[in-house]
Amino acid sequence: MFSIDRPADEILISSERNADIRRQMGGAHYSYTLVEARFVELFRRLGYDTRTLSDPQRVKDRASGQFHVAFRSSENLRVVPGAHNICHFAWEFDVLRDASLPSDPILPNQAHMLGLFREIWAPSSYTLKVLRGVGLSQTVLVPTPVCETSPQPRLEARAILQLIGSLPAIPLRFSSEASEVENLELAQRGLCHLGQVPAIADRLAGGEGRIFLVVCNPGDLRKNLLNTIDGFRSVKRPGDVLLVKLVVANTGDHLIEAQHRYLRPLYRGPAAAADRDVYFVTHFLEYVQMQALYNLTDFYISASLCEGFNLPLLEAMAHGAVPVATTSTAMADYIFPDNSVKIGARPYIGIQTGMAGEVAGRPFVVQAPSRYDVASALRRAQQLTERERRDRGEVAAATVRRLYSYETVGRLVTERLAARPAERAA
Amino acid sequence: MRPLVNLEIASLAERHHTGIPNVTKHLARELLGDATVEPGFWLNRQRLPVRLVEEIVALDGAPHLWWLAGRIADGEASTITDALSVGIYPSHKWHRRFFEQETLIVHDLTAVTMPQYHSEATVAWENSRLLPDILTSDLVVAVSESTRQDIRDYFPQAAAIPVEVAQLAPCCGPPDQVHRVKVAPYVVVLGTLEPRKNVVAVLEMLQREPAWIDAFTFVFVGRWGWGTSIADLIPTYGLTGAVEAGRVQFTGFLPDAERDVLVANASCVVYPSRYEGFGLPVLEALALGVPVVTGEGSSLAEAGGPYAIYVDVDSPTALARGLNDALRDTGVRAASARRTWAAQFSWWKTYERIRDLALETAARSKAANACDRFR
């Protein structure tokens, strides 16, 4: 049997940032870039060089069998001719666009585009099941690496403040009817540094309040941001604070306006809200700063309707934050009773428009938590003693290390890369 | 502990309170006067102060409500209470599953059953909203048996959602308080000027039988909705001279009180709608004791009972015949019978039924989820 010990040293990468991003599949493309960076690091640790291709379809002279791994949404997937083409693809709905007439456009047909690849690496059992369910039998489970095998060192209060204490924190002060100038004035009046937020300072000094965090793209309706905020405001106790890290394009000089800009479409109409216990962070943060943010966090809230993987949640867990999370879709792989506080949810068909699942053209079911579901879960989280919270956080971190460390995922990737020549020979 | 009854009042932000905004206004008034519950009034995700709502329900329109809601942040985000808590949507939802228990009032499915009588934008909006709104409700209240049947027939996906009927009530004032005057005889034609309301059926009748114009002034009451403009309709039906002579008049929108006086003193009301979810104008005419001619079918017989005259509104001849019948039926006893029929409908009854249905549904749900209050 033909086999080689080690495939070629260089892995070709095609990334979303070089693709034609026209938001055909919703507004969540940023996650492909984050995932790509994790895999590039993993490949490096496994001894591979990587080369990023802007247009993989232009490559015509590659040695047969070279690996090409794509991190793109399906309509932007292109193969390298002759290569062993792999795509990493996360999908969070129970339907896929997989059928069309011959006269229909090919690019939006997800199953068609994915079917061009020899392997599909699905990051969760849920995505795996959905893709195999539409006949994409070449799908295998290869999640994104999240953390190291050893526990993440906890940062001390001083180190946390050094890293993120001077970040602008914008309190929830929003009026849909105020003019731009008025809104700026509103926001500026409450603007402070993260380290100056009283609840954060108290908590770092050992106070009894709790710090809740959510990291999300507000334009991604799955993330359920308004119900997260409302749920928190409904049950917050003195000393509690909710930090909303917005994952948005760099807002440059207009940081303060960002809150208004991103909340207004969510409210979809007249609205005003003010709360000194809810703060937005709009800056781009380096990973070391994100680590500091996670270290600061007691509870990470993920009221998401559905997920293909949910990297920020896993990152927070890896740092010992207790997830207050829904347990459907990808979360079923790693959210368990002993490492989390569950947000209950009811299944609905088509509860809101504008989600990527609509590309399938068929009804899809989502488990949608209301603000009451969020509030109920937060209340249970608040009832945990400090010891119980810490224990649960440690189990959460251990879960992520066990399932998603570079070492664990590295073994899976090594298996897949080694399997390729054997498959070809067979 | 009093139950919390939340009412979505976004429709009060309309410039004129007719149709659904009027229904919302009456439900809000009853809720304000209901001492057995704690009221909550909402626009989008804003809970509005009760005092503000008391002011709003005294108006005939409140386009400034949006501006106000966008400025009022009273810090009250929570409706979490140990008492029963329900949310009632008089029409579409801003946010689904916003209240702990949701009751949706469905007025009609005409954008589904008769899309040809709506603008494309309305059809697109209604068709994308209605089914998800129903599917995310704990209870649906149809304003007529006809609408209830439409929901069951056209949305089999929602078979598991309970659908109950709560009929509406007249928006007019007490009949004995409406000013009565002796004037030359006139006929009131009610309805927004839009294809479904079909007021052109009356214009066509007048074109064919101009003798009507000699005998009666025809007063068209209702704002222009969409479709052919009044300016174009008048010459189309050869009525330019009649309009110039004041024998055919278009009032546009009228506040409730002015419309009541106009209707109460009319010889007859014509409401030639092709299809309705309930048919409030029919009930209002009867409440004022005035004979009414309306279309056969849909829900209109539920509103008019045996006291309205039903005709094929696509036939000018049938419409004229119905009008003749109605004008012969002007006796005091007939007027009294019409008022008696209408008196069985009241906004308190409508509100009370919706409130009780919603609270019963919430109580059942609470019992089923007793282990976790907020699920």
Side-chain angles (χ1 to χ4, degrees):
Chain A
M1 180 188 282
F2 171 80
S3 67
I4 55 172
D5 291 335
R6 197 174 158 203
D9 288 328
E10 186 183 64
I11 293 177
L12 304 174
I13 303 286
S14 57
S15 78
E16 184 71 20
R17 63 177 173 272
N18 295 317
D20 175 21
I21 301 176
R22 279 183 288 194
R23 299 175 66 87
Q24 293 174 47
M25 306 288 296
H29 289 303
Y30 69 91
S31 60
Y32 287 100
T33 307
L34 295 175
V35 169
E36 176 202 336
R38 298 302 182 102
F39 272 97
V40 167
E41 169 62 15
L42 178 66
F43 292 144
R44 188 191 65 74
R45 293 187 190 196
L46 293 176
Y48 296 97
D49 290 333
T50 54
R51 178 184 298 191
T52 302
L53 303 172
S54 57
D55 299 306
Q57 60 273 41
R58 285 166 51 201
V59 179
K60 303 292 185 187
D61 56 351
R62 287 287 155 186
S64 177
Q66 186 164 18
F67 291 106
H68 163 229
V69 187
F71 299 92
R72 289 180 165 185
S73 49
S74 63
E75 74 272 21
N76 290 328
L77 289 173
R78 302 291 183 273
V79 293
V80 172
H84 185 89
N85 290 289
I86 299 167
C87 66
H88 187 278
F89 185 74
W91 189 243
E92 53 274 1
F93 301 98
D94 61 359
V95 290
L96 195 69
R97 180 151 183 170
D98 63 335
S100 59
L101 297 169
S103 54
D104 286 342
I106 287 293
L107 296 183
N109 186 329
Q110 295 175 291
H112 175 90
M113 299 305 287
L114 290 164
L116 302 176
F117 283 71
R118 285 282 298 275
E119 279 187 39
I120 303 167
W121 289 357
S124 64
S125 305
Y126 183 79
T127 299
L128 180 77
K129 185 180 157 196
V130 172
L131 297 190
R132 285 193 174 169
V134 295
L136 294 165
S137 57
Q138 73 273 42
T139 311
V140 293
L141 183 65
V142 181
T144 307
V146 175
C147 62
E148 306 299 336
T149 311
S150 54
Q152 301 277 348
R154 297 287 300 176
L155 292 176
E156 297 300 322
R158 181 186 291 183
I160 292 172
L161 288 175
Q162 273 179 348
L163 284 163
I164 57 173
S166 60
L167 286 173
I170 308 164
L172 178 61
R173 281 189 178 189
F174 163 71
S175 165
S176 66
E177 295 301 300
S179 70
E180 191 173 324
V181 173
E182 288 169 322
N183 262 302
L184 265 173
E185 284 174 3
L186 264 179
Q188 272 166 340
R189 229 175 283 157
L191 187 67
C192 64
H193 292 147
L194 211 51
Q196 293 172 329
V197 173
I200 292 178
D202 286 352
R203 183 64 178 143
L204 286 174
E208 290 188 349
R210 296 285 184 266
I211 296 175
F212 297 82
L213 172 69
V214 56
V215 178
C216 75
N217 171 359
D220 188 343
L221 298 179
R222 289 177 299 131
K223 303 294 181 180
N224 210 2
L225 179 57
L226 291 188
N227 281 335
T228 301
I229 293 173
D230 276 1
F232 169 79
R233 295 180 68 201
S234 298
V235 296
K236 66 176 181 177
R237 298 189 303 199
D240 289 348
V241 66
L242 172 65
L243 301 178
V244 182
K245 166 70 181 85
L246 296 180
V247 181
V248 292
N250 192 338
T251 48
D253 294 334
H254 307 289
L255 287 171
I256 298 168
E257 295 164 302
Q259 182 196 164
H260 183 255
R261 189 185 311 151
Y262 292 111
L263 285 181
R264 187 165 188 158
L266 291 185
Y267 281 99
R268 293 180 292 172
D275 197 316
R276 290 303 302 256
D277 298 317
V278 178
Y279 286 87
F280 291 84
V281 177
T282 57
H283 260 60
F284 172 79
L285 302 189
E286 299 290 347
Y287 187 61
V288 65
Q289 291 176 299
M290 286 303 296
Q291 286 181 307
L293 198 57
Y294 293 137
N295 269 283
L296 187 66
T297 301
D298 294 303
F299 295 100
Y300 183 93
I301 311 174
S302 172
S304 181
L305 277 60
C306 52
E307 291 288 339
F309 189 56
N310 206 344
L311 185 58
L313 169 62
L314 284 160
E315 287 177 348
M317 288 171 70
H319 288 83
V322 176
V324 181
T326 47
T327 57
S328 63
T329 57
M331 283 74 79
D333 283 355
Y334 53 82
I335 295 290
F336 306 119
D338 63 346
N339 70 5
S340 65
V341 177
K342 175 183 174 177
I343 298 178
R346 288 159 65 172
Y348 294 106
I349 297 170
I351 190 165
Q352 56 195 13
T353 54
M355 286 199 289
E358 287 173 5
V359 294
R362 297 194 295 279
F364 56 92
V365 175
V366 288
Q367 299 275 340
S370 69
R371 57 200 184 124
Y372 294 94
D373 295 321
V374 176
S376 170
L378 292 178
R379 213 174 241 188
R380 278 180 273 121
Q382 288 168 327
Q383 286 161 0
L384 295 178
T385 65
E386 180 62 17
R387 178 66 190 269
E388 288 169 334
R389 185 198 64 77
R390 203 176 301 135
D391 287 350
R392 222 172 269 207
E394 282 173 12
V395 177
T399 305
V400 180
R401 288 198 301 274
R402 178 168 56 83
L403 297 173
Y404 305 113
S405 68
Y406 277 96
E407 192 179 321
T408 303
V409 180
R411 276 198 296 273
L412 282 173
V413 168
T414 304
E415 267 175 36
R416 293 315 310 162
L417 299 187
R420 186 267 310 164
E423 279 174 7
R424 197 170 67 161
Chain B
M1 189 178 290
R2 293 189 305 167
L4 174 58
V5 175
N6 299 291
L7 183 68
E8 228 286 0
I9 59 167
S11 58
L12 293 185
E14 293 275 337
R15 179 167 297 280
H16 300 305
H17 290 165
T18 63
I20 290 172
N22 225 352
V23 173
T24 306
K25 185 160 74 179
H26 282 277
L27 292 177
R29 284 178 179 165
E30 300 301 335
L31 176 54
L32 283 166
D34 184 359
T36 66
V37 301
E38 184 195 337
F41 297 96
W42 295 79
L43 173 51
N44 201 358
R45 296 176 89 97
Q46 296 296 111
R47 187 169 182 176
L48 299 178
V50 168
R51 276 188 57 191
L52 173 68
V53 180
E54 285 170 343
E55 300 280 342
I56 296 293
V57 298
L59 305 174
D60 289 314
H64 56 296
L65 191 54
W66 276 56
W67 182 87
L68 279 169
R71 295 243 167 188
I72 298 170
D74 60 2
E76 188 163 10
S78 175
T79 52
I80 287 186
T81 167
D82 289 329
L84 281 180
S85 173
V86 296
I88 298 169
Y89 290 91
S91 57
H92 292 297
K93 298 178 176 180
W94 275 94
H95 296 275
R96 299 183 183 121
R97 299 314 309 174
F98 182 72
F99 298 111
E100 196 175 351
Q101 292 284 319
E102 299 197 340
T103 293
L104 176 72
I105 300 175
V106 176
H107 295 265
D108 63 71
L109 263 62
T110 56
V112 177
T113 58
M114 307 189 101
Q116 68 271 33
Y117 295 126
H118 291 281
S119 67
E120 281 183 24
T122 303
V123 171
W125 165 258
E126 294 272 347
N127 277 288
S128 67
R129 304 288 303 177
L130 196 48
L131 182 56
D133 280 359
I134 289 174
L135 289 172
T136 52
S137 295
D138 301 283
L139 171 70
V140 172
V141 172
V143 298
S144 64
E145 179 57 33
S146 165
T147 296
R148 194 191 76 80
Q149 198 58 51
D150 282 347
I151 295 169
R152 287 302 185 219
D153 289 344
Y154 287 90
F155 294 142
Q157 308 94 318
I161 311 288
V163 181
E164 302 286 350
V165 176
Q167 290 172 319
L168 304 179
C171 295
C172 55
D176 53 348
Q177 290 178 22
V178 176
H179 188 55
R180 306 280 171 166
V181 289
K182 276 253 181 233
V183 288
Y186 64 91
V187 172
V188 166
V189 183
L190 288 175
T192 303
L193 285 119
E194 55 156 297
R196 179 169 59 92
K197 300 291 186 184
N198 193 31
V199 294
V200 295
V202 181
L203 299 178
E204 194 177 346
M205 184 196 78
L206 297 180
Q207 184 185 33
R208 288 189 181 203
E209 301 183 22
W212 281 106
I213 300 173
D214 299 330
F216 294 93
T217 301
F218 279 77
V219 183
F220 291 77
V221 179
R223 65 188 173 87
W224 183 80
W226 74 280
T228 311
S229 71
I230 298 168
D232 288 340
L233 284 173
I234 292 166
T236 301
Y237 290 96
L239 296 170
T240 307
V243 170
E244 284 170 358
R247 303 299 293 171
V248 173
Q249 298 183 19
F250 294 86
T251 67
F253 167 80
L254 286 183
D256 285 357
E258 291 176 40
R259 189 203 50 195
D260 289 354
V261 172
L262 205 55
V263 170
N265 291 286
S267 303
C268 176
V269 162
V270 182
Y271 187 58
S273 175
R274 286 197 161 95
Y275 201 94
E276 285 296 311
F278 180 65
L280 266 183
V282 172
L283 190 56
E284 286 162 352
L286 295 178
L288 293 168
V290 180
V292 59
V293 181
T294 189
E296 54 194 10
S298 75
S299 63
L300 288 160
E302 292 181 58
Y307 299 98
I309 291 166
Y310 304 99
V311 300
D312 173 6
V313 290
D314 287 327
S315 161
T317 313
L319 192 56
R321 201 181 307 127
L323 197 52
N324 262 321
D325 291 346
L327 289 167
R328 276 199 295 269
D329 195 18
T330 53
V332 174
R333 285 179 64 182
S336 173
R338 284 189 283 266
R339 283 197 290 268
T340 304
W341 164 262
Q344 68 180 307
F345 300 84
S346 80
W347 282 108
W348 171 253
K349 282 185 187 170
T350 306
Y351 161 78
E352 188 182 41
R353 177 160 170 76
I354 295 170
R355 179 200 69 187
D356 290 349
L357 285 167
L359 289 174
E360 283 164 18
T361 305
R364 278 197 299 275
S365 176
K366 185 178 181 180
N369 298 295
C371 56
D372 187 350
R373 179 67 186 88
F374 299 117
R375 283 283 311 285

